[in-house]
Amino acid sequence: MSIRYILFFILGLDAFVLVFQTNELSISYNEALLLSGDFSFLQLFINSSIMLFGQNDFALRLPMIILHLFSALLLFKISKNYIKIERNRIWLLLIFILLPGVISSAIIVNSAGLILFGLLLFVYLYENYSIKYSYVLLLFYMFIDGSFVVLFMALALFSLYKKEKTFFLFNLILLLTSLSIYGIDTHGAPKGYFLDSIGIYAAIFSPIIFIYLFYTLYRRYLTKDFDILWFIATTALILSLLLSFRQRVAIEHFAPYVILALPLIAQTFEHSYRVRLNIFRKKYRWAFGVSLIFLLINSSVVFFNKYLYHIIEDPKKHFSYKMHVAKELAEELKKRDIYCVKSDTKMAKRLEFYGVTNCYNYLIQENPLDSIHPNNVTISYKNVIVYSANVTKININ
């Protein structure tokens, strides 16, 4: 079968699974804030989709899925410069779309998916087209999102290493301008979160792949094998870990940069495999197989996360709880002809997306999960109650 057909089959299957997942999630408080908060490019993108397809979960998450699919295609094209064997590029694509962090960025509305697409687009244009396109794109990025400041820093270091004075000065200006516009987050008292950051990276990549990623970047440092992907990924990783010694770091702003190291990982693994005789390749096949199995397990946990409620005593400790309940709660309220309730600030913002506004006609108060009352509204997943609340009509005289 042609590689092109395999490529589009994988992307088609990926899109189908992600679209199916949109029905499994509710809008989170942060996503609801993004839709009605300060203007941003991402807000414009999402609201345009909602205007076209209506106010529903599919319209909310479709832009992120589209960005994800284009990101996967760009990664496949970029990998051509790093991986000689075409079928190995397919394996790299599979690993990319199975990474838990990539899956999350494909369905959760935040800047991670946008940044990842922007980074891959820049690298693709930089490596295949005139440098003038890179200047225009970088200038555009400065106004899109403050998280691109890490890219400007990495490119300034890269151009300094390559002794490209014009590109260095351009990125230095973008770096300083971006810092002046968006500022630097130094929120909170100094406190170490280094191990927390390492744990989040391991969850995003899966532990084995993250360890090999770290090994690849360090090995290239020792051999002085530097390129643009190495500078971008290494700068983001080191910066995030250094900042984590002082404060809690929003890893979702740095992880897209580190993901750019995937072609380097594949290139290092392919080279190490090919230079060895067949008799010594067995351990590499085992390592790849074990990594793929763990990756499938991790991605399955993301896709089938609702089954975890069977083993978690407190549903609120579930990693996706903040993206559950609201849609089902709105549906239950509408069945009772209730389209306006008074609830806590976060839930009120989420319910508003599903057509249940905030007022004082009814009061909804969350109860312990084992409470029994005729007016209770309960939400269950896989036969496990995860939310219970009492709905009371308020008589206003």
Side-chain angles (χ1 to χ4, degrees), residues 30-164:
N30 289 334
E31 290 173 329
L33 279 181
L34 185 143
L35 294 182
S36 58
D38 295 336
F39 174 80
S40 66
F41 180 83
L42 184 59
Q43 181 195 70
L44 176 65
F45 195 26
I46 301 299
N47 282 333
S48 298
S49 176
I50 291 174
M51 288 179 61
L52 286 173
F53 301 105
Q55 192 159 305
N56 53 68
D57 290 291
F58 173 77
L60 174 69
R61 307 197 185 280
L62 180 62
M64 306 310 300
I65 295 175
I66 292 173
L67 287 176
H68 164 75
L69 294 175
F70 278 111
S71 296
L73 191 59
L74 284 169
L75 179 74
F76 183 79
K77 289 183 173 295
I78 290 170
S79 66
K80 186 176 182 179
N81 298 327
Y82 296 86
I83 304 172
K84 295 181 180 180
I85 302 175
E86 203 166 33
R87 67 173 181 272
N88 290 344
R89 295 168 60 200
I90 292 292
W91 283 113
L92 174 63
L93 177 67
L94 276 172
I95 289 173
F96 172 77
I97 64 177
L98 287 174
L99 288 176
V102 172
I103 295 171
S104 298
S105 70
I107 52 179
I108 297 176
V109 180
N110 59 27
S111 60
L114 177 64
I115 294 169
L116 180 57
F117 170 75
L119 293 173
L120 289 166
L121 178 61
F122 166 76
V123 172
Y124 178 73
L125 292 179
Y126 180 85
E127 293 185 340
N128 296 279
Y129 294 93
S130 171
I131 189 68
K132 64 181 180 181
Y133 295 111
S134 298
Y135 282 98
V136 175
L137 194 62
L138 290 173
L139 186 62
F140 181 57
Y141 285 174
M142 186 183 68
F143 297 102
I144 287 182
D145 196 283
S147 298
F148 282 110
V149 67
V150 182
L151 176 62
F152 306 144
M153 182 184 300
L155 293 178
L157 294 172
F158 174 68
S159 54
L160 190 64
Y161 170 75
K162 300 286 287 186
K163 298 180 180 178
E164 297 175 355

Side-chain angles (χ1 to χ4, degrees), residues 13 68 134 151 188 239 242 255 298 327 337 346 370 375 387:
L13 183 61
H68 164 75
S134 298
L151 176 62
L239 181 61
L242 287 176
N298 289 347
K327 176 167 57 178
D337 292 325
K346 290 187 176 182
D370 57 355
N375 289 331
Y387 179 86

Side-chain angles (χ1 to χ4, degrees), residues 13 17 68 142 168 205 220 226 245-246 272 295 323 335 337 339 386-387 390:
L13 183 61
V17 172
H68 164 75
M142 186 183 68
F168 167 73
F205 288 93
R220 285 175 175 263
F226 305 139
F245 280 110
R246 184 207 177 276
S272 299
L295 194 58
M323 302 190 68
K335 288 178 181 178
D337 292 325
Y339 293 86
V386 300
Y387 179 86
N390 181 261

